[in-house]
Amino acid sequence: MGNEWLRRFTPPGGGPRPAADAIRLICFPHAGGAASSYLSLATALTPAVDVLAVQYPGRQDRRREAPIEDIGRMAEALADEMRGQTEKPYAFFGHSMGAVLAYETACRLDERHLRGPAALILSGRGAPAPRPRLHDQLRTDADILAAVRRLGGASPQVLDDPEMREMVMPALRADYRAIGSYTWQPREPLDTPITVLIGDSDPVVTVEQAAAWADFTTATTRTHVFPGGHFYLDSHLPRVAATLTAALSRFAPAAATFPGK
């Protein structure tokens, strides 16, 4: 992409590339996650949607950089990055910590009077609260690893292998420090439509907490409940892709069809 923060995946096997009029969807990974966590979703949405994934410092091709331990600092950096992505309508999708970061980035763009996302699609996260949530307050590596196992955010093979575990821990520590210290600063609601996605058996977020995102916009809010836990997306990719496409089609009619779904 020619920048620090955003990645676009090449379709495997010479598959279809995004159409010239494809909607742009910028995806924010969960805590400990990397841009590649959206590879399957990008493949499912192409060519109707042009998927870009945020690559946080400290992982994959940015592994030599120090991770950022503050949601506000990351949102500021990403708001700077969005200056080059606003030539046509675009939307944000964020899962778990990524939902908070997508929202905070949209707020920064609004405060700077820049063109923000035409839609916010927020997954696996309750609406912000004035104080950090208890399930984000993880002080030790053991606490972090227990939470990741509980949520299903990494394969047991990675967590059980000492060398692989040591590779992922710096990013996990930084992300949990970031989300664990995040506090919402009261501000006016956005005027951006919000679509909320949540698993019905998520161990850390209730459907009611997720639906409370409606208080953070003056525009419409729609909530979609999926069977499954925190990472329900992995089991329901076709339905998730169809839900995203429908949400995007409300501001870009060209995306109204989703082949094969």
Side-chain angles (χ1 to χ4, degrees), residues 111-125:
E111 291 162 0
R112 298 181 188 188
H113 305 289
L114 296 173
R115 183 181 193 172
L120 276 174
I121 306 171
L122 307 175
S123 168
R125 184 76 190 184

Side-chain angles (χ1 to χ4, degrees), residues 5-27:
W5 287 90
L6 300 176
R7 304 290 180 268
R8 180 185 284 115
F9 300 107
T10 302
R17 295 179 179 274
D21 59 350
I23 302 166
R24 181 163 293 164
L25 181 65
I26 298 173
C27 298

Side-chain angles (χ1 to χ4, degrees), residues 71-224:
I71 294 292
R73 284 179 56 205
M74 281 199 283
E76 290 288 346
L78 283 159
D80 290 340
E81 192 73 27
M82 292 306 125
R83 290 178 181 274
Q85 305 299 325
T86 61
E87 71 278 5
K88 65 177 184 177
Y90 66 97
F92 285 167
F93 174 77
H95 180 68
S96 197
M97 183 189 80
V100 174
L101 189 52
Y103 163 74
E104 286 291 338
T105 302
C107 289
R108 298 304 195 281
L109 292 166
D110 185 63
E111 291 162 0
R112 298 181 188 188
H113 305 289
L114 296 173
R115 183 181 193 172
L120 276 174
I121 306 171
L122 307 175
S123 168
R125 184 76 190 184
R131 295 182 179 179
R133 298 187 182 277
L134 287 177
H135 62 74
D136 295 326
Q137 303 298 295
L138 306 177
R139 304 300 184 188
T140 68
D141 286 0
D143 291 339
I144 292 171
L145 290 169
V148 172
R149 290 181 190 277
R150 181 185 180 200
L151 297 178
S155 70
Q157 291 85 350
V158 170
L159 300 181
D160 293 339
D161 183 288
E163 291 186 7
M164 296 182 70
R165 187 170 62 240
E166 189 58 32
M167 289 176 63
V168 302
M169 282 309 301
L172 279 169
R173 290 186 197 107
D175 289 353
Y176 272 101
R177 286 170 186 155
I179 200 64
S181 61
Y182 168 73
T183 55
W184 177 69
Q185 301 299 314
R187 54 168 67 93
E188 291 298 314
L190 297 170
D191 61 358
T192 308
I194 292 179
T195 298
V196 179
L197 285 65
I198 186 70
D200 62 5
S201 56
D202 192 312
V204 295
V205 185
T206 67
V207 173
E208 292 74 19
Q209 288 170 335
W213 279 107
D215 296 333
F216 290 76
T217 182
T218 58
T220 58
T221 305
R222 292 175 169 85
T223 300
H224 300 266

Side-chain angles (χ1 to χ4, degrees), residues 40-49 237-246 248-249 253-261:
S40 295
L41 183 63
T43 302
L45 290 173
T46 303
V49 181
L237 181 61
R239 183 178 164 192
V240 170
T243 300
L244 266 59
T245 303
L248 298 174
S249 71
T257 59
F258 188 71
K261 301 293 184 292

